[in-house]
């Protein structure tokens, strides 16, 4: 079993076109989220394909699901999204010091 950081899991989950499209659609939808069927209809994804991709996003901690009656709503975990964005940008423009190579004369 390999141990992966939450940031690596989140980025890996977003590394597929369908999952990235689902995530971006849910970001647009806001905190209320969207029903599974609405996501599938909007992105023209088969129910089994959509279920697989949503499961991956949920496991990565980027999407949360809630049940309201018989409907399942999906929404972005904005705290997790901000964590990943913070990780990616935390050292922006901090500079990089390269170590000089010893010349083998």
């Amino acid at each position: 079993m390999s141990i992966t950081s939450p940031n690596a899991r989140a980025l890996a989950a977003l590394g597929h076109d369908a999952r990235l499209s689902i995530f971006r659609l849910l970001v647009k939808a806001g905190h209320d989220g969207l029903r599974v069927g609405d996501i599938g209809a909007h992105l023209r994804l088969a129910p089994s394909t959509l279920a697989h991709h949503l499961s991956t996003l949920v496991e990565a901690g980027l999407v949360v699901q809630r049940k309201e009656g018989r409907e399942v709503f999906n929404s972005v975990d904005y705290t997790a999204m901000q964590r990943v964005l913070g990780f990616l940008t935390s050292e922006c423009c901090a500079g990089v010091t390269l170590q000089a190579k010893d010349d083998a004369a």
Side-chain angles (χ1 to χ4, degrees):
M1 180 171 128
S2 71
I3 298 173
T4 309
S5 75
N7 292 319
R9 279 195 305 277
L11 292 168
L14 294 173
H16 187 281
D17 284 335
R19 290 191 290 271
L20 187 58
S21 294
I22 292 166
F23 188 78
R24 292 189 73 211
L25 179 65
L26 291 174
V27 168
K28 289 179 191 176
H31 292 284
D32 291 339
L34 293 171
R35 294 178 297 189
V36 173
D38 293 337
I39 297 168
H42 189 82
L43 298 176
R44 296 185 177 146
L45 292 173
S48 61
T49 301
L50 178 58
H52 165 74
H53 290 306
L54 280 171
S55 172
T56 301
L57 290 167
V58 169
E59 288 173 15
L62 292 170
V63 170
V64 291
Q65 294 181 317
R66 72 182 184 285
K67 226 173 165 184
E68 292 183 15
R70 295 174 54 191
E71 299 287 346
V72 177
F73 284 81
N74 297 269
S75 58
V76 169
D77 182 334
Y78 288 96
T79 301
M81 181 183 79
Q82 291 298 328
R83 184 196 70 237
V84 173
L85 290 172
F87 168 75
L88 291 172
T89 61
S90 66
E91 296 182 33
C92 178
C93 308
V96 175
T97 302
L98 301 176
Q99 294 182 358
K101 290 184 180 181
D102 289 336
D103 288 336

